[in-house]
Amino acid sequence: MSSSQADPAGTHPEPTLAPPPSAPPPPPSLPPHLSDATVDAASLKRFLHGLPGVDPVGLEQRSAALATRSIKKDSKRQAIDLAISMVDLTTLEGADTAGKVRSLCAKGRRPDPDHPDVPTVAAVCVYPDMVAHAVPHLAGTDVGIASVATAFPAGRSSLAVKLADTRDALDAGATEIDMVIDRGAMLTGNYGLVFDEIAAVKEVCGDTVLKVILETGELGTYDTVRRACWLALLAGGDFIKTSTGKINPAATLPVTQVMLQAVRDFHAETGERRSVKAAGGIRTTKDAIRFLVSVHEVAGPEWLSPRYFRFGASGLLNDLLMQRRTQTDGHYSGPDYVTVD
Amino acid sequence: MDWQYASAPENASIGRVKPRYQPFIDGVFADGSGADAPTINPGTGETLAQVSQSSVADVDRAVGAARAAYTDVWGPMSGTERGKYLFRIARAVAERSRELAVVETLDNGKPIRESRDVDIPTAAAHFFYHAGWADKLEHAGLGPSPQPLGVAGQVIPWNFPLLMAAWKIAPALAAGNTVVIKPAETTPLSLLVLAEIFADAGLPPGVVNIVTGAGDVGEALVNHRDVDKVAFTGSTEVGKRIQSSLAGTGRRLTLELGGKAANIVFDDAPIDQAVEGIVNGIFFNQGHVCCAGSRLLVQESIAEEFLDKLKARMATLRLGDPMDKNTDIGAINSAEQLARVTALADVGDAEGAQRWSPPCVLPDRGFWFPPTIFTEVSQAMRISRDEIFGPVLAVLTFRTPEEAVAKANNSPYGLSAGVWTEKGSRILGMAGALRAGVVWANTFNRFDPAAAFGGYKESGFGREGGRAGLAAYLDSGDY
């Protein structure tokens, strides 16, 4: 597809540092009308612009209605444990250090030292240069090591640098890669470029899980979000992820609903179940449960698993732990009884 | 993962339901001359409370009280003062909203989510809206000095008991009329709680009078000689009777009757939201909505895909205990209505339409009907012509916009319609072509006190809400 890239504005020069990526052929499972959509940039654009629109009023109304679900007792306990197991425990700061990552890993491995029955989190999520510090502390556990790559969070770098960034993280031991898309290209309709970048990163990832961050807060409309979802799914992203956490708004319920609809529809058309990660701005158990209700009722109960839904968060875990104690102990204990990392 | 929501019932004691209720005439709660009749909780089939029934003689007394209040107090009162009463009532409805929501759900069977989030807030909004008009009637564009009509006789249905009462009482009082109102015999409680609010607000005796009872009481009310204006919401059959009996009397009449709304989905619609709109259009309040989108007209180019999505969405609807905050579909209001819905759905089977309902367990007591759609429906079938007033959707298809308009208008009713398309010009074109009093675009069943609501053809005449609704309670003279 790269050869047919039109870029009149010249804002996205062809990479010269590395050989042009050869986009991998679409997975054989794609039905003809979907694989046809990816043969060249023009077809891709036609396909994405042919997707049904999203009516924001109706979408937000549905999200608001789902948010009124009242989750009590056993269903709440179940939801809290599920949410804990879906957390990508995240630290993405310029001030990150080996020590910070170490304590984050300890937290992820055993979220509540007083309650060993608390499930481990899904993964810890760090910058590529911090991956090596996480590896020894998570060896032998089920906790993944996710690393943001591709010039996170802006993504404003050449493809060669993005690929090198990805390889760097993989070589250091990352088991999951969170990449960002080129939002500028997305907004100028240069879908081919976005597709090629995702496909190239996926090729580098191989079997490693690739999460594609759409940064929905910068995409402007739900229509563009829906297009970005399909684009990322067609290009081979395993997860579509709302946000970097560096832009507001981040993971809102309506935008997550659009993404859940996309993976549901993708599954209906291909039989393949892809995943969603809501990241940024989810801080309380109440918030998390609202997202789980949306997952349950919009995508379906099959998505209620850390394999198919994740929370990207740092503060959420402690609120989940406090609420879990409230449920098990029958009373609220307070923030001094959960570890601050 | 199998994740069942634990039941999250609203606390029934918040409703403070009393064992027995009385009519409210001339500012006093007192027994009617009729025998007590039970009101049933449709969610359980059990008696909720006893209600003292009014008789024809009580209607006479109530109209007399309304006349006296009109002549002595409410008619001469300044609009500013009337507005103060209405604002007070509006605030009290909002303050007691949780109690009113519980009462409404227990008495009517609708989900607490709907009574809490729609019925009660919208009822309060109607009082707030009309309170604002009370001192501005000269500036409503209805003539330099519009005058009240006198005593309004109002009969309301059981589907939105408190909301319909607010729709009728608020504009009548804002315009300076006094009211005698009769709730439906199956759902009198929320209006009798509203009467407590009137009394607490110090509303002068006789300004609003509430009589209870069945059709005979309603008939006596609408035919009473000293009633100046009749407002009725209910079935087309009864509406026709009222219109013929009022013919030639000079009394004003507005009727809001049945409907068989078409919800039209074009192939360029926002599909996921259109599915939501169809679900909301027909399953909101168990389809007990006169403006319910009971006919789906879907363009043939997307019909198959659309129906798949609709069925998938219907499978997530939660039917059950109306008091559970997670319930989407509550109980059918009465055994009588359940029998009617069941009979009409059976007609659909007999006519050869294909019935489909999601797997759904109906509670073992109370009155229940599963959300149902019929496909392979033709215009000739009764399920696409008769108002079912239940959670039953008839699915038809069309090929062109002209065909959609023709099929949508091919009904004796004309209350509402829905249009789903991303194309603005098509929305405007359809809105002009559809013979329906309300046309919603990319949404459905949205109610706002500032927007006029009413029907064409056998759906009635007259408007409620907005300036047009106010006009129905005012005499503009020669203006």
Side-chain angles (χ1 to χ4, degrees):
Chain A
M1 193 185 295
S2 316
S3 56
S4 59
Q5 214 84 127
D7 186 22
T11 49
H12 304 294
E14 284 289 307
T16 51
L17 294 174
S22 52
S29 57
L30 284 188
H33 73 282
L34 289 183
S35 52
D36 284 355
T38 62
V39 294
D40 58 32
S43 304
L44 183 63
K45 189 166 196 165
R46 275 197 299 277
F47 173 81
L48 294 177
H49 284 210
L51 291 167
V54 183
D55 184 75
V57 175
L59 177 78
E60 287 164 13
Q61 201 180 356
R62 166 98 162 119
S63 278
L66 285 173
T68 67
R69 291 285 194 230
S70 182
I71 303 300
K72 303 281 186 209
K73 301 174 202 154
D74 285 355
S75 54
K76 185 168 182 180
R77 278 214 50 185
Q78 250 183 312
I80 289 172
D81 277 4
L82 180 63
I84 292 170
S85 75
M86 288 173 162
V87 166
D88 280 3
L89 194 58
T90 302
T91 183
L92 295 170
E93 303 297 334
D96 283 347
T97 59
K100 167 82 184 173
V101 170
R102 189 190 321 125
S103 78
L104 200 72
C105 291
K107 178 87 168 180
R109 248 182 7 237
R110 178 167 284 193
D112 189 343
D114 296 342
H115 294 82
D117 58 327
V118 174
T120 60
V121 300
V124 296
C125 183
V126 295
Y127 272 114
D129 64 331
M130 289 290 136
V131 171
H133 299 299
V135 169
H137 301 292
L138 293 176
T141 71
D142 293 335
V143 182
I145 304 170
S147 180
V148 295
T150 72
F152 181 95
R156 293 256 69 90
S157 195
S158 71
L159 180 60
V161 169
K162 293 177 184 180
L163 295 180
D165 198 15
T166 308
R167 277 189 209 101
D168 206 30
L170 289 169
D171 291 348
T175 59
E176 301 176 358
I177 296 294
D178 291 27
M179 73 171 286
V180 290
I181 64 164
D182 185 335
R183 281 88 77 187
M186 193 67 214
L187 289 169
T188 49
N190 198 350
Y191 305 132
L193 180 81
V194 184
F195 182 96
D196 285 349
E197 285 198 351
I198 298 169
V201 174
K202 180 60 190 169
E203 197 184 16
V204 170
C205 286
D207 291 335
T208 303
V209 167
L210 174 64
K211 308 195 194 102
V212 181
I213 304 172
L214 309 180
E215 195 66 297
T216 53
E218 290 186 337
L219 296 182
T221 67
Y222 295 121
D223 294 321
T224 313
V225 171
R226 170 168 285 177
R227 288 172 190 159
C229 290
W230 275 91
L231 194 158
L233 294 170
L234 289 171
D238 298 295
F239 271 80
I240 43 179
K241 173 176 168 185
T242 57
S243 322
T244 59
K246 307 292 184 193
I247 294 287
N248 263 325
T252 64
L253 279 171
V255 94
T256 307
Q257 191 187 328
V258 172
M259 295 169 67
L260 290 165
Q261 287 165 346
V263 292
R264 176 200 65 194
D265 293 347
F266 188 82
H267 176 260
E269 300 219 10
T270 65
E272 203 180 321
R273 201 180 305 284
R274 301 279 180 89
S275 315
V276 174
K277 176 171 169 182
I282 306 165
R283 293 189 181 86
T284 66
T285 302
K286 201 169 201 171
D287 289 342
I289 289 177
R290 285 175 175 165
F291 279 84
L292 292 182
V293 167
S294 285
V295 173
H296 186 214
E297 299 199 34
V298 176
E302 300 83 0
W303 270 266
L304 287 173
S305 137
R307 182 167 168 203
Y308 298 117
F309 192 79
R310 297 276 182 89
F311 292 107
S314 47
L316 171 65
L317 181 58
N318 268 354
D319 194 65
L320 287 165
L321 295 175
M322 281 191 281
Q323 290 298 327
R324 190 180 190 276
R325 287 183 172 208
T326 308
Q327 296 289 313
T328 50
D329 304 349
H331 60 87
Y332 186 71
S333 55
D336 290 344
Y337 297 89
V338 292
T339 57
V340 176
D341 302 271
Chain B
M1 183 177 122
D2 180 33
W3 188 33
Q4 302 295 332
Y5 303 160
S7 69
E10 176 61 293
N11 186 348
S13 68
I14 290 166
R16 295 193 289 169
V17 175
K18 297 183 289 192
R20 187 162 177 277
Y21 287 80
Q22 295 168 310
F24 180 70
I25 295 175
D26 206 12
V28 178
F29 289 99
D31 280 0
S33 331
D36 283 8
T39 183
I40 306 288
N41 175 349
T44 62
E46 288 164 4
T47 297
L48 183 61
Q50 295 290 333
V51 180
S52 170
Q53 303 288 297
S54 304
S55 69
V56 174
D58 297 329
V59 171
D60 199 45
R61 208 157 52 80
V63 173
R67 173 61 59 192
Y70 174 69
T71 313
D72 302 338
V73 188
W74 199 251
M77 190 184 284
S78 73
T80 315
E81 289 302 309
R82 289 201 308 272
K84 285 184 193 169
Y85 283 106
L86 287 168
F87 276 121
R88 204 177 295 161
I89 292 164
R91 283 195 301 272
V93 170
E95 278 161 15
R96 290 174 71 172
S97 59
R98 201 167 166 201
E99 173 193 355
L100 283 164
V102 168
V103 169
E104 198 76 312
T105 286
L106 289 172
D107 201 19
N108 170 281
K110 66 176 66 202
I112 187 78
R113 181 167 69 79
E114 290 179 8
S115 52
R116 178 193 69 196
D117 296 347
V118 181
D119 290 55
I120 313 302
T122 315
H126 270 265
F127 279 108
F128 276 117
Y129 174 82
H130 287 98
W133 269 123
D135 61 353
K136 303 175 191 69
L137 298 175
E138 297 83 2
H139 312 287
L142 302 170
S145 177
Q147 296 299 312
L149 301 172
V151 176
Q154 305 174 328
V155 177
I156 57 170
W158 47 259
N159 57 345
F160 295 93
L162 187 78
L163 182 56
M164 289 300 109
W167 278 31
K168 297 249 178 317
I169 295 171
L173 297 194
N177 304 277
T178 56
V179 165
V180 180
I181 184 168
K182 186 193 88 69
E185 65 266 36
T186 63
T187 55
L189 298 196
S190 56
L191 180 50
L192 293 170
V193 176
L194 184 63
E196 292 173 12
I197 289 174
F198 293 151
D200 291 347
L203 193 69
V207 173
V208 177
N209 305 275
I210 298 164
V211 292
T212 55
D216 56 329
V217 177
E219 201 171 333
L221 175 56
V222 300
N223 288 313
H224 197 285
R225 282 160 181 268
D226 205 26
V227 164
D228 301 293
K229 146 90 188 176
V230 172
F232 172 77
T233 297
S235 71
T236 294
E237 186 194 344
V238 175
K240 284 179 178 175
R241 276 216 309 275
I242 294 175
Q243 189 177 9
S244 83
S245 72
L246 258 62
T249 63
R251 278 178 241 148
R252 296 267 202 109
L253 173 64
T254 47
L255 295 174
E256 201 263 272
L257 309 174
K260 191 74 186 174
N263 219 341
I264 305 166
V265 181
F266 287 95
D267 61 5
D268 63 350
I271 298 294
D272 289 299
Q273 286 73 48
V275 167
E276 281 308 307
I278 301 305
V279 166
N280 171 43
I282 186 60
F283 302 124
F284 175 63
N285 202 26
Q286 300 76 245
H288 300 329
V289 186
C290 44
C291 53
S294 50
R295 286 185 293 158
L296 165 61
L297 282 170
V298 58
Q299 196 156 12
E300 287 183 12
S301 47
I302 55 159
E304 204 176 321
E305 169 202 351
F306 192 82
L307 284 178
D308 286 347
K309 286 203 163 185
L310 178 62
K311 288 176 176 176
R313 173 68 179 91
M314 283 172 67
T316 68
L317 289 170
R318 305 172 63 84
L319 177 145
D321 180 6
M323 289 289 279
D324 190 326
K325 293 170 195 163
N326 294 327
T327 290
D328 297 320
I329 300 193
I332 301 294
N333 179 251
S334 63
E336 187 191 357
Q337 185 61 22
L338 177 59
R340 182 180 154 77
V341 173
T342 307
L344 272 165
D346 291 345
V347 168
D349 292 332
E351 287 176 323
Q354 293 299 310
R355 185 202 289 240
W356 184 87
S357 288
C360 116
V361 182
L362 301 184
D364 53 6
R365 52 185 199 149
F367 315 125
W368 303 91
F369 198 88
T372 301
I373 58 174
F374 278 100
T375 52
E376 321 274 321
V377 174
S378 75
Q379 289 283 100
M381 292 181 185
R382 273 186 70 196
I383 48 168
S384 71
R385 306 194 66 78
D386 288 12
E387 183 179 40
I388 299 175
F389 222 63
V392 181
L393 177 70
V395 180
L396 299 127
T397 59
F398 67 92
R399 293 159 296 176
T400 64
E402 290 71 28
E403 189 181 354
V405 169
K407 283 184 167 171
N409 286 344
N410 180 215
S411 161
Y413 297 112
L415 190 53
S416 67
V419 180
W420 297 85
T421 170
E422 288 267 280
K423 196 167 189 164
S425 60
R426 182 171 290 143
I427 290 172
L428 297 174
M430 291 297 290
L434 289 166
R435 302 285 295 161
V438 179
V439 179
W440 281 293
N442 293 336
T443 190
F444 208 88
N445 274 344
R446 300 267 269 193
F447 306 101
D448 189 289
F453 183 93
Y456 279 47
K457 300 191 277 187
E458 290 191 17
S459 291
F461 48 79
R463 295 290 178 264
E464 295 182 295
R467 284 196 312 130
L470 208 54
Y473 286 94
L474 286 168
D475 182 355
S476 299
D478 293 334
Y479 177 75

